[in-house]
Amino acid sequence: MRSPLTINGICGWAISADWFQAQITSVVPDAKVQTFYPQYPDSLDEARQFISTHPANLWIGYSLGSLWLLRYAHLISPASSLALLSPVFGFTQEMRRGGKIRTVQLNYIIRNLQRKPDDLQSVLEFLKETGIDPQHAEFELSISPEVLVRGLCFLRDHSFNSEIRNPYFSAVGEQDHLIDCKSLKREIPDLVIVPGTGHHPLPLLKALAKSFV
């Protein structure tokens, strides 16, 4: 497999940049990988600043990062390729864009984080739905409660309804608890559905790596 020269990875919700970088590097060890956790995912200025100062051959957006990538893809060079892992075209069930989680569930986590920012139990339970073990030695829950709230509000309040200019690859787990792969297939005809896996990014990254061959 011939790796791209440079890769930018946009993290999923509550996923640290260091952990996501390690996941990408484990699959494409020869690439130069930079990862980014949006502090203000709804901020055009933050997105423009990162994109303008970090050009890359390949941009990988995972979960929340995929919605961020879709929202700001018009700022990325058309020469770059995009990869959407566990793509979010609309995260909540009410949006009818493939998301399974209900708005009331997101609001519950948001309220908990706002009222008791030191109590991260609702975050840990959410991570278990992704198939990520927050107790694993290599995983660290390092995102501040304020940033976590902004991320959930971004997922709750935004969907993507435009066309993607750049060439892109997309993959989702067949057993994803947060995204309905069959509904998403109607949005993305070329969607790769990875059997026997859920929302965890590693199997999706491996599917992406196979597309390089």
Side-chain angles (χ1 to χ4, degrees), residues 125-145:
E125 290 174 357
F126 183 94
L127 285 171
K128 290 178 182 177
E129 288 293 311
T130 69
I132 295 170
D133 180 5
Q135 305 301 324
H136 194 280
E138 295 179 357
F139 186 87
E140 181 182 2
L141 184 56
S142 57
I143 315 301
S144 73

Side-chain angles (χ1 to χ4, degrees), residues 17-164:
D18 288 345
W19 186 86
F20 191 44
Q21 183 177 36
Q23 301 300 301
I24 298 173
T25 302
S26 71
V27 174
V28 281
D30 296 329
K32 181 181 178 181
V33 180
Q34 168 85 34
T35 46
F36 175 60
Y37 192 101
Q39 302 295 296
Y40 294 86
D42 199 23
S43 169
L44 177 62
D45 289 340
E46 181 186 70
R48 182 181 286 117
Q49 171 66 21
F50 182 81
I51 291 169
S52 65
T53 55
H54 296 84
N57 304 115
L58 174 65
W59 290 74
I60 300 174
Y62 165 59
S63 197
L64 179 148
S66 71
L67 181 59
W68 186 95
L69 202 55
L70 289 165
R71 185 172 174 83
Y72 301 114
H74 65 284
L75 302 174
I76 296 172
S77 167
S80 300
S81 297
L82 310 182
L84 310 175
L85 308 182
S86 297
V88 174
F89 277 61
F91 194 62
T92 66
Q93 192 178 95
E94 290 83 356
M95 291 176 180
R96 301 182 184 277
R97 303 296 304 280
K100 289 182 178 180
I101 195 165
R102 296 169 59 206
T103 301
V104 67
Q105 293 173 273
L106 287 185
N107 287 336
Y108 172 78
I109 302 173
I110 290 169
R111 285 195 300 270
N112 278 355
L113 286 170
Q114 290 172 332
R115 294 172 181 172
K116 300 178 181 179
D118 295 328
D119 182 0
L120 299 177
Q121 186 58 39
S122 59
V123 180
L124 297 177
E125 290 174 357
F126 183 94
L127 285 171
K128 290 178 182 177
E129 288 293 311
T130 69
I132 295 170
D133 180 5
Q135 305 301 324
H136 194 280
E138 295 179 357
F139 186 87
E140 181 182 2
L141 184 56
S142 57
I143 315 301
S144 73
E146 295 84 0
V147 174
L148 290 173
V149 167
R150 288 197 290 267
L152 288 179
C153 290
F154 179 70
L155 288 168
R156 180 193 63 189
D157 299 337
H158 295 284
S159 60
F160 180 76
N161 300 291
S162 303
E163 291 186 3
I164 307 172

